[in-house]
Amino acid sequence: MALSAEDIADRPALHRSVQAQSQALIRIYEASPRLAAVFATQQRWLMGHVGLALHFRRDPRDHRKQLTMARFIEVICQNSVASRNTAEAFVKEMLHYKIAEYLPARDGRTRPLQPTASTVETFTGWVLAHLRTLDQLDGGNRLARFLEQPEMLARLQPLVADGLLSSHPVREPKQTFSLFIWLTNGGIVMDWLMSGIDPDDAGLDRIPTSVVAIGDFAKWLKLSRTHLARKLHDAEELGSVGWLGQRGHSVMWVSSQFYQEYMTVQAAKLAIVDAAFETCFPTPADG
């Protein structure tokens, strides 16, 4: 049976496992900053999942079941992810940065698209990071089973995309998490903040991170220091972050509420991945 979000949230290993997952996602960002930046806000991240799902579900014999600009925009609007103009601009950006590419057109009407091989490879790293986390939670062997049949990505990813699009905790997170998901690279900002937390401190009201200087943080993320500082100030106004001493000269902390918001979204996301995995790799019945 796949783990539920509630099961995951109750696992003692969750804090340490998610910290390792955050560090793995940061390594993916460092290896492919251009690709990671393209999926830098939650809206863009969801659009990326939709595009991959349409690609993996394509039917070359049926033009209505191919990844095209028109089909992508239709699904994005149906699921209220973004406006038509935003979806169209996103596809054009994918093509410009060679994250997606056109396939040869079979007729003059449609121009199918596909993600490039490097895009699929980078996304596979995202899947591996989450399967590793799930294994750490319950001692499972999902990662090994997936690596034996990596072609199952084509079945797994569309199910993950469906789950993300229909998940209230993912689509409508609490206040501080919501504040960051609209910031460029906001997801990686939160991963960076959380990756430096000692899991043994998770029960504190103010949990120390490893972040001291905003300027260094912004430079690493290729963000405007002013923009990042403004978001952090907004989070500070909510009581979600602060400094243990003088601002910029001491360690930043995150509130226990912000930390729990982050962990709630991670648990929901991991449950979606596990449900998709269980569908693709069903556990044999006992006996």
Side-chain angles (χ1 to χ4, degrees):
M1 288 286 292
L3 296 174
S4 70
E6 292 74 23
D7 291 334
I8 291 169
D10 288 340
R11 297 274 167 161
L14 179 64
H15 303 288
R16 204 165 293 279
S17 300
V18 167
Q19 181 191 43
Q21 176 183 291
S22 298
Q23 292 166 347
L25 295 175
I26 287 167
R27 287 192 292 273
I28 291 172
Y29 171 84
E30 290 177 327
S32 307
R34 168 62 71 186
L35 177 56
V38 166
F39 304 124
T41 64
Q42 176 159 293
Q43 184 186 60
R44 294 163 70 82
W45 178 67
L46 287 171
M47 286 195 287
H49 271 287
V50 168
L52 285 167
L54 288 171
H55 163 69
F56 287 129
R57 283 174 166 155
R58 71 196 183 284
D59 182 350
R61 298 162 299 178
D62 186 345
H63 71 87
R64 294 167 299 179
K65 295 182 180 179
Q66 295 184 38
L67 173 54
T68 62
M69 174 80 84
R71 181 75 180 121
F72 177 78
I73 291 172
E74 178 186 357
V75 175
I76 290 297
C77 293
Q78 281 176 350
N79 288 279
S80 303
V81 176
S83 69
R84 180 182 187 85
N85 289 344
T86 299
E88 183 176 352
F90 179 81
V91 173
K92 289 178 178 177
E93 190 175 347
M94 299 303 96
L95 291 165
H96 177 75
Y97 288 115
K98 296 183 170 45
I99 289 158
E101 60 192 3
Y102 278 119
L103 288 166
R106 293 192 173 185
D107 57 47
R109 294 177 300 143
T110 59
R111 296 195 68 187
L113 302 153
Q114 68 176 9
T116 59
S118 61
T119 300
V120 174
E121 181 182 351
T122 299
F123 176 75
T124 302
W126 185 91
V127 171
L128 299 182
H130 288 77
L131 294 180
R132 187 178 293 112
T133 300
L134 287 162
D135 284 349
Q136 289 169 347
L137 294 178
D138 66 1
N141 63 346
R142 300 170 186 80
L143 181 59
R145 290 164 67 194
F146 178 82
L147 290 173
E148 288 174 358
Q149 300 182 64
E151 69 279 2
M152 290 297 284
L153 179 70
R155 268 195 77 198
L156 178 74
Q157 189 280 329
L159 297 176
V160 171
D162 291 346
L164 294 173
L165 288 172
S166 62
S167 170
H168 182 76
V170 171
R171 297 286 303 267
E172 302 290 338
K174 297 292 180 64
Q175 56 179 2
T176 310
F177 197 99
S178 182
L179 180 72
F180 280 101
I181 60 174
W182 290 98
L183 170 70
T184 300
N185 286 335
I188 210 75
V189 168
M190 288 187 284
D191 289 335
W192 182 262
L193 283 170
M194 303 303 172
S195 70
I197 285 174
D198 183 339
D200 291 336
D201 292 336
L204 299 175
D205 288 337
R206 293 181 173 184
I207 306 169
T209 71
S210 60
V211 176
V212 175
I214 293 177
D216 293 343
F217 192 24
K219 185 177 180 182
W220 179 79
L221 288 163
K222 298 179 176 60
L223 282 175
S224 155
R225 185 188 185 285
T226 303
H227 190 43
L228 177 60
R230 189 181 304 121
K231 284 291 180 183
L232 290 172
H233 177 72
D234 290 345
E236 195 174 0
E237 290 284 301
L238 292 171
S240 300
V241 304
W243 281 260
L244 292 177
Q246 185 181 356
R247 181 197 303 271
H249 298 281
S250 64
V251 169
M252 184 185 295
W253 54 260
V254 299
S255 70
S256 111
Q257 181 180 348
F258 182 20
Y259 183 74
Q260 282 307 127
E261 288 175 18
Y262 179 83
M263 298 305 284
T264 296
V265 174
Q266 299 311 310
K269 188 173 53 165
L270 286 162
I272 290 165
V273 173
D274 203 23
F277 182 86
E278 184 65 27
T279 299
C280 297
F281 296 84
T283 304
D286 292 336

